[in-house]
Amino acid sequence: MGRMIPGSVIPVSCLIVMIASCALAQGGSDLSLAINEVMASNSETKADPQGQYDDWIELYNYGTAPIDAGGLYLTDDPNEPAKWQIPADDPAVTTIAPGGYLLIWADGETEAEGLHAAFKLDAAGEGLCLFDFDGATLIDIVTFPQLPTDLSYGRWPDAGDQWQFFVAATPGAANQEGYA
């Protein structure tokens, strides 16, 4: 097993493989989107349309024009960049206004109302990649550490380079300063 990153359960060797796998696919996307906040163990923070407290991923449009995320890909497995495609048949649901957010439930219930990814998040920590419409061009990547129940992890400020823990999660809203 490789060297451990302080405060993390993900070995450095696994992180390097994940980043290298995603970087090989990176061709440079011009979409102004970021994986902005994640919650991998949701017990009372926010319910999905079915009233269940599932894991969630928040995307943020930091650009100046609306972006339809329909057709983009999210994955928790860098060896499977096209693991789940955001449905492209309802732009009213998947279009993110400038400075806006899109919440995706990570519960494996793809047939449920709302946006539900075909995978769940691992509260022990893992990586997420957002890929462009071609399923190969990397838009964004995050590796999050172990997350206790109802604690989110996100960028500060929105779309920024600094990642923090947030006791007061903000799904679908601006991140508030948290813990470094």
Side-chain angles (χ1 to χ4, degrees), residues 149-175:
T149 301
D150 291 312
L151 186 72
S152 71
Y153 189 66
R155 295 176 183 269
W156 174 252
D158 288 334
D161 291 332
Q162 184 176 345
W163 285 85
Q164 297 183 346
F165 295 98
F166 299 111
V167 173
T170 57
N175 291 344

Side-chain angles (χ1 to χ4, degrees), residues 5 25-26 28 31 51 77 79 90 94 110 124 128 134 140 146 153-154 163:
I5 299 170
Q26 187 171 5
L31 293 178
D77 181 354
N79 295 316
D90 194 353
T94 56
T110 59
L128 287 171
D134 61 6
D140 197 15
Q146 181 173 352
Y153 189 66
W163 285 85

Side-chain angles (χ1 to χ4, degrees), residues 16-146:
I16 290 169
V17 169
M18 171 173 257
I19 291 171
S21 297
C22 290
L24 287 174
Q26 187 171 5
S29 174
D30 59 355
L31 293 178
S32 302
L33 287 177
I35 299 169
N36 202 53
E37 187 176 7
V38 299
M39 181 172 280
S41 181
N42 177 13
S43 74
E44 63 182 18
T45 299
K46 183 166 179 75
D48 69 8
Q50 293 72 42
Q52 299 170 339
Y53 290 89
D54 293 315
D55 305 343
W56 50 264
I57 303 160
E58 177 191 80
L59 301 182
Y60 175 64
N61 177 355
Y62 59 88
T64 58
I67 297 173
D68 184 359
L72 298 178
Y73 294 89
L74 268 174
T75 185
D76 62 346
D77 181 354
N79 295 316
E80 193 178 344
K83 186 171 191 174
W84 179 72
Q85 186 175 37
I86 298 171
D89 59 351
D90 194 353
V93 172
T94 56
T95 298
I96 312 169
Y101 307 88
L102 182 66
L103 199 60
I104 298 169
W105 302 101
D107 60 5
E109 298 174 6
T110 59
E111 299 301 315
E113 178 187 345
L115 296 175
H116 294 261
F119 56 89
K120 296 179 180 186
L121 300 180
D122 186 346
E126 69 176 330
L128 287 171
C129 297
L130 176 65
F131 285 92
D132 211 334
F133 303 104
D134 61 6
T137 304
L138 182 68
I139 296 172
D140 197 15
I141 181 174
V142 59
T143 300
F144 60 88
Q146 181 173 352

